Structures are given as C-alpha cells and as structure tokens.
Amino acid sequence: MADPFGQISNLFVMPEYRSRGLGKALEVSIAKEFAKRDQRVFKYVEQHNTSVYEASLRSPHWTLWTIEDQENKKTKKPNFFYFRKFPQMVLIEWDTPDKLKQLREILQRDGRGIPNNLIVDTSITYSIEQRYPVSRLRYFSTEIVGDSTPRYVFIFEENSKAVGFNARAPPSGHDDVILRAALADLIEKFKDRIERDGAVNMMTDQRTKDVFLSLLPTSLPFFVDLSPASTIVVFYMTDEQKGMLQEMDLPSIAGFYADGVDLEKDAKKIHENWIHSPSLESTTARLRHLPASVVRDSTTGEAVSWDMSSPFGQCSNLFTIPAYRGRGLAVLAQLHLAKTFISQGLRPFKYIEISNSRLLNATARHPLWMRWEEE
C-alpha cells in the first residue's frame, strides 16, 4: 500500500508465501501505477532490514537518496532518519508445563517456517516431559504492552558447569531497541550466577552476540569474548523427509547393526572416546534421559559409532572410533537416531561446523536433509 505522504513502504507477504518473488512483483505493480500518474516513485527501507535494503541497492529500478558525509567528503550516506517512541517492553518467564505448551503453540503459528522454532520446539517438549532433570531450562520472552505476541524468546540452561544461552529472534527480524532492553534485564537477572560460574556458553546469531557483548562493560566488566566464533550450518528434516525416513529401512552394513544405548556397556566407552564428553556423569545423564543411538560390532557387541542429542534438541554429537571409519557407520547411527526422534514426535535437526567441509557437502547432497538458508 502507499502512504498518505506518497511512499510505497507498506509491503507485506504472508509468511507461508514468501521467497517466491511476490513482494518484488507487488512493488513493481504499484510503482507502475505511480509512474502512470506522473508521480515520483519512492520508498523507505530501514537499514537493519538487510535483505530488502541490499536488494534495493542492487536493483536497477531504485536509486539511494544520499547526501555528502560532512566527516568524510568522499562518501555518501542516507538522507532520512526516523524516530519512534519506544513502547514499554515486558520480560515474561514461562515457568509451568501449561505455560510452556501455550508458548509452543504461539511460536508454531508465528515464524518464518520450521527452522526458526527448531530449538524452542524440542527443548520445550523436553521441559514439559521433564526429560533432562540434571539441566534446568528457563524460558523468557519479550512482549510489548498492548501486544501479547512474543517477539524474542530466550532459553537459559542452568546446570552444574555454566549458564547456556540461546535466542530466537522475531520472524520480522531484529529490533535492536527491544533486544538491548531484554538482554540487559536478563544479564541483571542472571548476573550473580554468571559471575559465580565465570562463563556463559552462547549459541546464537551474530546480532544478538554483538548486542550482548556491548552490554558487558557496564554489567560484567571483567568478562570478555575469548572463544572464537564457530560458524555452523543448520540442517533439518521437512515433513516430507520425515515421511520418507519412516518408510525406508536402515542401510545394511555387513558385520554391524544399529541399536539403542545400554548404559552399563556404553556410557564409559563413549566418555573415554568422545573428546567433547565433559565428564562420565554428564555423558551418562545425557544417554539416560535424551534420545541416542549406537552402532555395534556384530562380533563383539561393542559400540563403535554413536550419535546423541543435546538438551536443546540437535543431533550434533556424532562420533565413530577412528579404526571403524569409512564404512558408513556414522550415517547408520544418525538415521537410527532420527527415526527415534520421529517416533517420539520430535523433528530431527543438526548443526555442522562450516569447517567440516566433507560432512557439510555430504549432508547437503543427502535427500533426507534440508539446509536452513535465509535471504
């Protein structure tokens, strides 16, 4: 729609119809109407709306209105600024099974599709069922007074080692004002615990991390970002791919078979061989309470390959003992685990570090995995 001041800045496409070029077609259509009336066509785009902003810069149909930067005469900068009154933000904790069911239902209706809610869906399900009692997950969301739809959702994992943190951004993209206010409130709420632990393990996007780090000098002045960022790619199974996996038989590999976990036989061996195992107690708890799968040597019955899931739900703890690699055992372990997820009403998804090019390329080619990509 056009605005009373003339700009065409009210473009909207229903979430389930996005990424098909409909927005661009609408924009061209209304621009033609303006041109027919001999009116100048113009629009406003917020710079934080990066996909639309960058697409407009590349488009031959649009010219960015700029003025000379007084500080640097050789550059231009946008020539329009917009100020708004910040509405009152409320941080809400969803702390009962009934409330968590309500949050899950709301988020399933509100999103860009499956991937945006992967972690929230699975971790809420675990919390409702009290799957992983050794780790407490706490859920917070931001709401604006007068609008009950959660914008940001934050998950904090409280366990014996350190606070874990995950953020789900709004479907419409980041709002730095709301994000800053919410993170400031959460840091204050968990400040004593964070200072006592001496660390925060963050799994989030770059924007959230940047805002979080910008708040540390005043809130936690002795904390610095020490860990190098690990860039990951998310893969998940669509409903169609889940159906395909349910219908298919697991691959048959001579001398090996997929199996569930036997704590007495497997926990110690997995702990001793898996370099990411924090402790025998922690790994045993994960194997006891969360979905896991092993591949055994048919002769000895020993586990030689395995895959586990985390309290946040991803199947990202795949490991094969070096002497048994190159036989497809990891694929067998992961598909067995994915079938377990589906049988429990969960959606399989996993993270792969971008540096792991061999696994990344193999997964991208696999018919049962869909890569989560954003414009």
Side-chain angles (χ1 to χ4, degrees):
M1 298 180 287
D3 186 88
F5 288 109
Q7 74 270 21
I8 52 173
S9 299
N10 303 300
L11 182 64
F12 182 84
V13 179
M14 296 288 285
E16 61 269 30
Y17 292 96
R18 291 176 185 169
S19 299
R20 305 184 192 185
L22 303 184
K24 185 182 293 185
L26 280 170
E27 189 173 78
V28 170
S29 176
I30 194 171
K32 280 179 173 286
E33 290 298 317
F34 271 73
K36 285 179 185 177
R37 300 174 191 177
D38 199 28
Q39 291 178 277
R40 178 73 64 190
V41 184
F42 69 104
K43 65 176 180 177
Y44 299 152
V45 179
E46 294 189 13
Q47 281 186 282
H48 68 73
N49 189 352
T50 52
S51 63
V52 176
Y53 180 68
E54 291 172 0
S56 300
L57 288 177
R58 293 193 302 267
S59 173
H61 298 129
W62 293 106
T63 300
L64 179 66
W65 181 21
T66 60
I67 59 172
E68 192 175 76
D69 190 334
Q70 297 301 313
E71 296 177 1
N72 186 348
K73 302 293 185 182
K74 294 181 180 179
T75 64
K76 302 282 189 179
K77 64 181 180 181
N79 192 21
F80 201 78
F81 300 92
Y82 169 63
F83 295 88
R84 64 185 169 101
K85 180 180 178 182
F86 177 57
Q88 184 180 352
M89 188 275 294
V90 179
L91 193 65
I92 295 174
E93 182 169 9
W94 304 75
D95 53 3
T96 68
D98 287 341
K99 288 182 180 179
L100 287 172
K101 288 178 184 177
Q102 181 185 0
L103 175 62
R104 185 173 59 185
E105 289 172 3
I106 292 171
L107 295 176
Q108 287 172 345
R109 296 195 302 266
D110 170 43
R112 287 168 292 184
I114 294 166
N116 209 40
N117 292 323
L118 284 172
I119 290 176
V120 183
D121 271 354
T122 308
S123 60
I124 287 178
T125 300
Y126 284 173
S127 294
I128 292 171
E129 298 174 357
Q130 297 183 329
R131 285 277 195 98
Y132 197 52
V134 297
S135 180
R136 183 189 179 196
L137 298 182
R138 296 178 65 182
Y139 302 84
F140 300 86
S141 72
T142 61
E143 293 184 8
I144 303 302
V145 173
D147 179 3
S148 60
T149 303
R151 304 291 182 92
Y152 285 90
V153 177
F154 303 97
I155 308 174
F156 275 79
E157 180 190 12
E158 293 185 306
N159 57 32
S160 59
K161 292 196 71 178
V163 170
F165 171 83
N166 196 287
R168 183 262 199 193
S172 56
H174 282 288
D175 185 315
D176 283 351
V177 178
I178 297 174
L179 178 59
R180 179 172 289 276
L183 289 176
D185 283 0
L186 287 168
I187 289 174
E188 187 61 33
K189 183 181 291 291
F190 286 92
K191 185 176 180 179
D192 291 344
R193 173 65 197 265
I194 293 172
E195 287 182 329
R196 185 173 75 250
D197 292 345
V200 179
N201 299 319
M202 296 185 69
M203 186 180 294
T204 189
D205 62 279
Q206 188 66 43
R207 178 74 65 87
T208 302
K209 177 190 173 186
D210 289 344
V211 174
F212 184 87
L213 291 177
S214 72
L215 295 168
L216 291 184
T218 54
S219 303
L220 297 162
F222 298 108
F223 275 72
V224 293
D225 182 23
L226 290 178
S227 301
S230 175
T231 304
I232 60 172
V233 177
V234 182
F235 288 88
Y236 67 101
M237 288 189 182
T238 63
D239 289 341
E240 181 181 1
Q241 289 167 324
K242 285 169 60 181
M244 288 169 57
L245 179 59
Q246 285 178 295
E247 294 296 321
M248 68 179 281
D249 294 326
L250 291 174
S252 177
I253 303 175
F256 302 92
Y257 65 96
D259 194 16
V261 171
D262 182 328
L263 284 176
E264 290 188 7
K265 287 179 61 175
D266 302 328
K268 185 177 180 181
K269 182 168 187 177
I270 290 175
H271 164 67
E272 291 175 346
N273 286 274
W274 183 44
I275 59 173
H276 299 294
S277 176
S279 66
L280 176 60
E281 179 186 18
S282 174
T283 299
T284 302
R286 184 178 288 196
L287 292 169
R288 175 180 287 115
H289 298 292
L290 302 178
S293 174
V294 301
V295 173
R296 300 188 189 281
D297 185 316
S298 299
T299 304
T300 64
E302 290 293 314
V304 295
S305 182
W306 51 82
D307 197 8
M308 300 182 288
S309 59
S310 83
F312 289 118
Q314 72 271 21
C315 311
S316 298
N317 305 128
L318 186 62
F319 184 83
T320 302
I321 292 176
Y324 292 88
R325 292 176 183 170
R327 309 184 195 192
L329 303 183
V331 173
L332 177 58
Q334 190 156 83
L335 291 180
H336 185 268
L337 179 58
K339 275 182 172 283
T340 304
F341 260 65
I342 295 169
S343 69
Q344 296 180 10
L346 304 171
R347 186 174 300 281
F349 71 101
K350 62 179 180 177
Y351 299 151
I352 299 178
E353 292 194 13
I354 204 165
S355 59
N356 192 347
S357 58
R358 183 178 177 184
L359 182 58
L360 191 65
N361 293 332
T363 306
R365 293 192 302 267
H366 202 286
L368 291 177
W369 292 106
M370 177 70 72
R371 178 171 174 160
W372 179 17
E373 294 181 309
E374 290 187 314
E375 288 185 358

